[in-house]
Amino acid sequence: MFKIRTMNKISRVGLDLFPRDKYEVASEIPNPDAILVRSADLHSEGIPDTALVIARAGAGYNNIPVSLCSSRGIAVFNTPGANANAVKELALAAMLMSARDILGGIGWCRGIADKADEVPEIVEKEKSRFEGPELRGKVVGVVGLGAVGVLVANDAAALGMEVLGYDPFISVDAAWKLSRAVGRAETLEGLLTKADFVSLHLPLKDATKGLLDAEKFRFMKKGARIINLSRGGLVNEADILEALNTDKIAAYVTDFPTAELLACPKVIAFPHLGASTPEAEDNCAVMAARQIMDYLESGAIKNSVNLPRCKLERRAPFRITVMNKNVPTMVSQITSLLAAEKVNIMDFINHHSGDYAYNIIDTEQKITGVTLEHIKQIEGIIRVRSIE
């Protein structure tokens, strides 16, 4: 029986996927095999030694101590693409709201509600105060062409916008999904010089922190608008406020408000609404649950943020998985040890990503506890698991 600890409220659609004869799912399980989480901060929570896998029902994972998990042999998953449509729709709304002063107009209308019969006349007289440009024909630069960025680019093109995409690390799968109408920007600076709107869709890491700052704003058109529904740290806060106050940037839409941003009238802030739809929550929970089951039951890895994608169709009665540091001779040491123990390997796959590698090994004979301990003693081995 596998034990799953849930943290935060997880959609019932996802939880119902766990067969009750094989899984115990609850929020109070003390020694879980897996943790299913949304926004809970695991940096401040103790992660039990029994945990084999953590799955986050969402795309971002900065609430999980990934480096610590890697050193302990814990696979960490996220759910990229599960909330993509929800974020895309909000990004399109953000473009409209930043171009047309929709919020200002709504607030002004509420302010004249007590004018009774005068309202129609006042509206016609004052409506020009809230005038703004159309999206059609404008240039939008989409930075980051993952699951969300591709949808934003394609739908912006369908609205009649000229779309430029920039992503030096775009995957083949994402490239196949892009509309032919989406142009390619060779550099970020080249995109910024042409864009009337810039929409950010990339993760926050050391290489992207402060991606848009005063230096980058110099390249942008006066009056351009920036949409950031990815992570607040992608934009240097002090620099964007300066650019807004000097009218270099016309509007900044963010899903990550701070007190300083809220004080600026040119900032449109949402309370982290990007994935806040029932459909997105269902999709994320379903994907996370399936990833946990695949990993616990077969050792398969997809959408891990710390381990390589790895899957092997099972053709033998016994299986072990091995996580190790990505250093030379690891495979030969493992296979030599198994050969010395008279274990016949029926199938084997080894993939690596960054500092870590992962192996799935199918064998004809059941590997004894003694043999598993011998593998664990190899220098560089982080975790060994038997799956029957």
Side-chain angles (χ1 to χ4, degrees):
M1 178 74 73
F2 292 115
K3 297 181 178 182
I4 315 298
R5 178 192 291 178
T6 59
M7 304 184 73
N8 312 117
K9 183 179 178 182
I10 305 296
S11 166
R12 176 55 57 184
V13 176
L15 298 182
D16 286 345
L17 292 177
F18 292 108
R20 292 301 182 255
D21 61 332
K22 296 173 65 175
Y23 290 88
E24 180 185 353
V25 183
S27 61
E28 302 299 327
I29 292 178
N31 297 302
D33 299 292
I35 296 173
L36 181 49
V37 62
R38 286 181 64 198
S39 59
D41 185 3
L42 296 188
H43 292 275
S44 57
E45 294 272 351
I47 299 174
D49 292 336
T50 56
L52 300 170
V53 54
I54 297 172
R56 200 216 158 216
Y61 48 88
N62 53 347
N63 59 320
I64 300 172
V66 177
S67 295
L68 174 64
C69 290
S70 298
S71 67
R72 291 174 53 183
I74 301 171
V76 179
F77 294 92
N78 67 341
T79 56
N83 59 14
N85 188 71
V87 180
K88 174 211 71 177
E89 290 183 1
L90 192 62
L92 296 178
M95 284 188 235
L96 288 166
M97 294 171 72
S98 64
R100 313 274 294 271
D101 190 7
I102 297 170
L103 289 177
I106 292 171
W108 180 82
C109 283
R110 292 189 183 280
I112 63 168
D114 61 346
K115 301 297 183 181
D117 294 341
E118 299 178 64
V119 168
E121 181 181 347
I122 296 173
V123 165
E124 289 303 314
K125 180 179 179 181
E126 300 292 339
K127 65 183 181 182
S128 61
R129 293 169 53 183
F130 308 102
E131 184 179 84
E134 298 179 9
L135 299 187
R136 186 176 183 84
K138 302 302 185 296
V139 178
V140 57
V142 180
V143 182
L145 295 169
V148 178
V150 166
L151 292 182
V152 172
N154 289 349
D155 280 18
L159 289 174
M161 302 185 78
E162 181 181 342
V163 184
L164 291 175
Y166 174 73
D167 190 337
F169 306 107
I170 186 171
S171 70
V172 173
D173 286 345
W176 275 109
K177 294 174 184 176
L178 272 177
S179 166
R180 294 176 62 185
V182 177
R184 177 187 176 190
E186 297 288 345
T187 64
L188 176 59
E189 291 77 11
L191 178 148
L192 295 177
T193 61
K194 299 175 182 177
D196 300 296
F197 297 83
V198 174
S199 194
L200 302 177
H201 302 286
L202 63 170
L204 178 63
K205 48 189 179 181
D206 289 343
T208 60
K209 187 175 181 180
L211 181 73
L212 294 189
D213 58 9
E215 177 66 21
K216 296 297 192 303
F217 296 147
R218 291 196 311 108
F219 291 94
M220 297 182 69
K221 293 180 178 180
K222 182 178 175 63
R225 295 162 169 86
I226 297 172
I227 316 298
N228 178 15
L229 305 181
S230 293
R231 282 293 179 266
L234 295 172
V235 178
N236 183 289
E237 186 170 297
D239 291 353
I240 186 65
L241 287 171
E242 176 66 18
L244 291 166
N245 290 332
T246 59
D247 296 327
K248 174 65 177 180
I249 302 299
Y252 178 48
V253 186
T254 178
D255 215 9
F256 309 95
T258 65
E260 291 76 12
L261 291 173
L262 291 173
C264 178
K266 293 182 180 179
V267 172
I268 300 172
F270 304 139
H272 203 174
L273 293 179
S276 293
T277 68
E279 295 87 351
E281 291 179 9
D282 288 350
N283 292 340
C284 288
V286 166
M287 184 182 290
R290 286 176 174 162
Q291 289 169 171
I292 287 174
M293 288 189 289
D294 284 347
Y295 185 73
L296 291 179
E297 295 179 28
S298 72
I301 293 177
K302 182 180 180 182
N303 298 325
S304 173
V305 303
N306 64 336
L307 292 175
R309 181 169 181 159
C310 195
K311 184 175 182 179
L312 183 65
E313 184 178 346
R314 194 156 184 170
R315 298 187 179 89
F318 303 103
R319 166 171 289 187
I320 65 169
T321 64
V322 182
M323 178 182 172
N324 57 268
K325 293 181 180 179
N326 184 23
V327 294
T329 78
M330 294 303 300
V331 170
S332 61
Q333 290 185 76
I334 295 168
T335 55
S336 296
L337 191 153
L338 291 175
E341 300 281 351
K342 308 296 185 189
V343 174
N344 185 31
I345 296 174
M346 304 291 287
D347 213 343
F348 186 112
I349 189 170
N350 166 272
H351 284 169
H352 64 85
S353 176
D355 294 333
Y356 299 95
Y358 185 76
N359 312 266
I360 301 176
I361 307 168
D362 286 350
T363 63
E364 187 175 13
Q365 298 84 16
K366 181 176 181 178
I367 299 178
T368 66
V370 173
T371 301
L372 291 176
E373 285 300 320
H374 288 166
I375 296 174
K376 292 177 184 178
Q377 297 307 312
I378 298 174
E379 185 176 357
I381 296 292
I382 298 171
R383 177 166 294 219
V384 182
R385 187 161 68 99
S386 177
I387 301 173
E388 298 182 12

